[in-house]
Amino acid sequence: MKNWWKALTVGLLLYTAVAGLLVPVPQLAILNETIRNLYFHVPMWFGMTFILIASVAYSVRYLRQPTPALDIQAHEAARIGILMGCVGLATGSIWAKYTWGTWWTNDPKLNGAAIAMLIYGAYLVLRSSFTDEQQRARVSAIYNIFAFATAMPLFYILPRLTDSLHPGAGGNPAFAKYDLDDNMRLVFYPAVIGWTLLAFWLAQVASRIALLKQKVYEKQFA
Amino acid sequence: MLLREIWYLIQKDFRLEWRQRAALSGMLLYVGSTIFVCYLSFALRGGELPVPAWNALFWIILLFTAVNAVAKGFLQESRGRLLYYYTLVQPQAVILAKIAYNALLLLGLALAGFGLYAVVLGNPVQDMPLFLANVLLGAVGFASTLTLVSGIAAKATNSSTLMAVLGFPLMIPMLLLLIKVSKNALDGLEFEASRSALLTLVALNLIVSAVSYLLFPFLWRS
């Protein structure tokens, strides 16, 4: 069966939705039932990181051997990365409203996520400012690699250097320390895998559509 | 071989700059008038600037100066002249020479700007060697990040907007570290407090230069 991983995605996400809302969670002050957002908010960032790594990998492969398909895959992966990032920001913002009391605070992780969105927004703007397709593909691949190599590592280093409201930073204990109990692990890890697979599935479908559109476009002139 | 090519290219850049002094004096005037506008705007409320605002304003002025000064690096060179270089030297020499030249240029501009800034807005710096070392790291970091970005922007149609859009988000992590160290130097904290941030800055400069070195050969071909 070729598409086993798609079946796995559907299964894992159904499991996440049902078990995530029904399985008992530890009752903690302030967090209360909102702790269930862990299954939806945190996997978004895992999914975004992996899909953006995939985008950079496509860009590197494009520079080594330029084919239109690799360029389209890098572009669509970056767009799905932006989508995951925006959903991650939205779920995080709602969570912050009910636990920290505001939609947005000056927290290094929030700022890092916002900057990442700006960088990939700039990537899209850069793509749209070329008329020549080959030049667009090459230059945007270069920017994709450059941006990832220079800025992304810092989003995983800077929050650990400064104080953050997030668990696992600035002296706050990580979730794993005391409140991620075994019941939650049983839902959290499948949720991470499920959302990451969904990101890859979305990117695959999006690049197929883009490739087909390009073929139709070329047929018109044939 | 590579080093000698870099040396010649840096000499060439300085000679060009010296022969058409309009650009150089233009940049100096840009820094000077920006600082003076800031001074006049703050003079309205007594002229005394609180230390955090002094710090933030100084780095924002440097950021905008850097974007403007580096942007002309590749935009100014005509297509024909660039092609001529590529028949003579390796692409790696071109990018390393540009980074070195821009770093020296930005260092000069930053020091001149700091002098004027300290005269009109006061000089609250308590740890001068640390502050100057930080300015040096900042000049090198801005130069290494923005040089490749200016090369990328020069390929597109609306280069001057792209320069800011592509460059700013990439520079935010570096800028945050610089402002933090600069704050420590202003408050005269002991060196230990800024060591990890300084090391991260040095590592960041090395990463950015290495990635530029690897990617530029792909950029100039298009």
Side-chain angles (χ1 to χ4, degrees), chain A residues 115 119 129-130 138 143 146 154, chain B residues 155 157-158 166 173 218 222:
Chain A
I115 297 165
I119 287 178
S129 58
F130 283 99
R138 183 193 289 273
Y143 181 72
F146 188 61
L154 283 176
Chain B
K155 300 280 176 195
T157 43
N158 50 347
L166 299 178
F218 293 101
S222 59

Side-chain angles (χ1 to χ4, degrees), chain A residues 63 115 118-119 122 125-126 129-130 135 138-139 142-143 145-147 149-151 154-155 158 161, chain B residues 145 148 152 155-158 162 165-166 169-170 172-173 177 204 207-208 211-212 215 218-219 222:
Chain A
L63 288 184
I115 297 165
L118 282 181
I119 287 178
V125 171
L126 178 69
S129 58
F130 283 99
Q135 199 173 33
R138 183 193 289 273
V139 175
I142 290 169
Y143 181 72
I145 300 169
F146 188 61
T150 55
L154 283 176
F155 299 146
L158 277 185
L161 290 179
Chain B
T145 313
L148 192 77
I152 289 173
K155 300 280 176 195
T157 43
N158 50 347
L162 267 184
V165 171
L166 299 178
L170 289 184
I172 295 174
L177 288 167
L204 190 58
I207 292 174
V208 175
V211 177
S212 306
L215 288 177
F218 293 101
L219 186 67
S222 59

Side-chain angles (χ1 to χ4, degrees), chain B residues 9-145:
Chain B
L9 285 167
I10 296 177
Q11 275 184 323
K12 176 231 44 162
D13 270 333
F14 271 109
R15 221 169 268 160
L16 270 183
E17 198 67 72
W18 189 246
R19 283 188 190 156
Q20 26 175 292
R21 254 156 291 179
L24 188 64
S25 31
M27 279 182 290
L28 280 172
L29 262 183
Y30 182 92
V31 186
S33 45
T34 314
I35 290 171
F36 204 65
V37 166
C38 293
Y39 162 63
L40 289 180
S41 325
F42 281 101
L44 287 178
R45 58 179 295 270
E48 262 310 294
L49 211 52
V51 170
W54 188 96
N55 193 17
L57 197 61
F58 179 67
W59 283 102
I60 290 169
I61 292 173
L62 282 195
L63 177 71
F64 277 84
T65 313
V67 169
N68 272 300
V70 176
K72 54 174 222 45
F74 278 101
L75 302 184
Q76 220 176 33
E77 308 253 14
S78 67
R79 258 190 98 76
R81 202 199 287 165
L82 277 176
L83 271 178
Y84 178 57
Y85 296 151
Y86 298 145
T87 59
L88 293 178
V89 293
Q90 304 164 42
Q92 284 91 349
V94 175
I95 187 75
L96 290 181
K98 272 273 189 252
I99 289 178
Y101 164 74
N102 281 331
L104 289 172
L105 180 70
L106 287 183
L107 187 64
L109 284 174
L111 290 179
F114 174 59
L116 182 60
Y117 194 72
V119 168
V120 293
L121 281 163
N123 181 10
V125 179
Q126 296 189 28
D127 186 348
M128 200 44 111
L130 180 63
F131 186 81
L132 290 180
N134 190 40
V135 169
L136 172 70
L137 276 178
V140 176
F142 285 176
S144 47
T145 313

